[in-house]
């Protein structure tokens, strides 16, 4: 009987911050199938607390949330040394060019319009994806 090789790699951890339970569930199911651990936050305050305490590999962040909106969450995470390198992908129904530009200025990895296909990436791929700006993460057909 051979021993199973052990790996020191821990699964990727993604924080899904969205006030809509069906969106969080969709992300949870799809990311879990890919072997990714999912943390969930229902508002911006909870998202900030979890990002600071858990330091996930990626944050999927809604813009329009109660208490603290996604813009503020992204700005606060970017301003803090311990969280500034966590890649952020915005998940939003806001389809304006100005919103997309603001996300780019904040250094977002992507800007995904709802409804969306689940997105998977690791922090190690973040710089490459930022350079490539894949069209599925940065839709060109925004209004505004």
């Amino acid at each position: 009987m051979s021993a199973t090789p052990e790996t020191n790699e821990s699964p990727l951890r993604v924080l899904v911050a969205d006030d809509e339970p069906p969106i969080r569930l969709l992300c949870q199911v799809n990311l879990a199938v890919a072997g990714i651990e999912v943390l969930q936050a229902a508002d911006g305050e909870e998202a900030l607390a979890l990002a600071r305490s858990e330091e996930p590999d990626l944050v999927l962040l809604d813009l329009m949330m109660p208490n603290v909106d996604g813009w503020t969450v992204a700005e606060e995470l970017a301003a803090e040394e311990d969280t500034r390198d966590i890649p952020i992908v915005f998940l939003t129904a806001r389809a304006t060019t100005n919103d997309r530009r603001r996300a780019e200025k904040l250094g977002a990895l992507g800007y995904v319009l709802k409804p969306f296909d689940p997105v998977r990436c690791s922090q190690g791929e973040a710089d490459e994806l930022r350079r490539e700006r894949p069209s599925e993460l940065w839709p060109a057909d925004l209004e505004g």
Side-chain angles (χ1 to χ4, degrees), residues 30-43:
N30 283 281
L31 293 171
V33 165
I36 296 170
E37 181 183 338
V38 179
L39 307 166
Q40 295 186 32
D43 63 41

Side-chain angles (χ1 to χ4, degrees), residues 14-18 21-33 36 38-40 60 91 116-119:
V14 174
L15 170 57
V16 178
D18 197 299
I23 296 293
R24 291 195 313 270
L25 179 61
L26 176 66
C27 292
Q28 169 75 42
V29 168
N30 283 281
L31 293 171
V33 165
I36 296 170
V38 179
L39 307 166
Q40 295 186 32
L60 298 178
L91 303 177
F116 61 91
D117 290 328
V119 176

Side-chain angles (χ1 to χ4, degrees), residues 64-79:
M64 298 179 291
M65 292 187 292
N67 301 322
V68 177
D69 67 18
W71 295 124
T72 303
V73 170
E75 289 164 355
E76 289 193 27
L77 294 177

Side-chain angles (χ1 to χ4, degrees), residues 3-21:
T4 306
E6 290 186 28
T7 177
N8 290 334
E9 286 187 35
S10 56
L12 290 175
R13 292 184 323 144
V14 174
L15 170 57
V16 178
D18 197 299
D19 60 327
E20 298 179 54

Side-chain angles (χ1 to χ4, degrees), residues 83-104:
T83 56
R84 73 172 47 124
D85 293 328
I86 300 172
I88 294 174
V89 173
F90 286 104
L91 303 177
T92 184
R94 294 179 62 125
T96 70
T97 300
N98 287 338
D99 287 328
R100 177 185 163 169
R101 286 186 186 128
R102 184 174 178 188
E104 286 182 85

Side-chain angles (χ1 to χ4, degrees), residues 87-88 100 104 107-110 121-138:
I88 294 174
R100 177 185 163 169
E104 286 182 85
L109 183 63
C121 70
S122 70
Q123 187 170 354
E125 298 167 326
D127 290 335
E128 181 178 341
L129 285 171
R130 280 189 185 103
R131 284 191 301 275
E132 293 176 3
R133 294 276 188 223
S135 60
E136 63 272 11
L137 293 178
W138 289 97

